[in-house]
Amino acid sequence: QVRLVESGGGLVQAGESLRLTCEASGTTSRLNAMGWFRQAPGKERERVTHMSAGGTRNIADSFKGRVAISRDDNKNIVYLQMNSLKPEDTAVYYCNAKDGSIPVWGQGTLVTVSS
């Protein structure tokens, strides 16, 4: 019943910032943790960050200092703020959430960082 839709991707120059948005729709009452993964061309999907329903944030080590995650009061929207972007950040960024204990994925939004 839960659908996740990402937005905010696009072309950005190295050193700039970008904020991605993930909106959850449908039956959102069971949403727990929400977060972000990314998958670069030819690479495996990796976790960027997530935030629990209780507000606890977790950022993967390689992204600390450049990434922030936030959720709105209803916890059906999650944002990914990315700063100091580098060309190696080019990837499809996926929103992820737990509908209770069931994982849900968005379709992804492409971020391209130029040199």
Side-chain angles (χ1 to χ4, degrees):
Q1 294 283 358
V2 176
R3 184 177 71 252
L4 303 177
V5 179
E6 304 95 335
S7 62
L11 177 64
V12 64
Q13 295 182 3
E16 295 183 345
S17 300
L18 198 65
R19 189 176 79 162
L20 307 181
T21 299
C22 173
E23 296 187 50
S25 60
T27 304
T28 61
S29 60
R30 289 173 49 84
L31 283 177
N32 290 314
M34 297 185 69
W36 293 88
F37 287 67
R38 76 178 188 185
Q39 189 165 17
K43 304 296 183 180
E44 295 184 0
R45 191 171 298 187
E46 62 178 333
R47 186 179 66 85
V48 178
T49 181
H50 72 271
M51 187 173 181
S52 73
T56 301
R57 296 170 171 84
N58 184 282
I59 302 174
D61 289 341
S62 61
F63 300 100
K64 290 180 178 178
R66 299 196 301 122
V67 167
I69 186 171
S70 60
R71 298 172 70 165
D72 74 354
D73 291 339
N74 292 324
K75 300 176 181 176
N76 62 344
I77 300 176
V78 63
Y79 303 94
L80 177 65
Q81 177 70 43
M82 299 186 292
N83 302 318
S84 301
L85 287 166
K86 300 175 289 185
E88 49 263 46
D89 293 320
T90 295
V92 177
Y93 286 75
Y94 295 91
C95 183
N96 171 258
K98 290 292 183 65
D99 182 10
S101 61
I102 301 173
V104 182
W105 293 90
Q107 294 299 307
T109 184
L110 176 63
V111 174
T112 302
V113 184
S114 66
S115 301

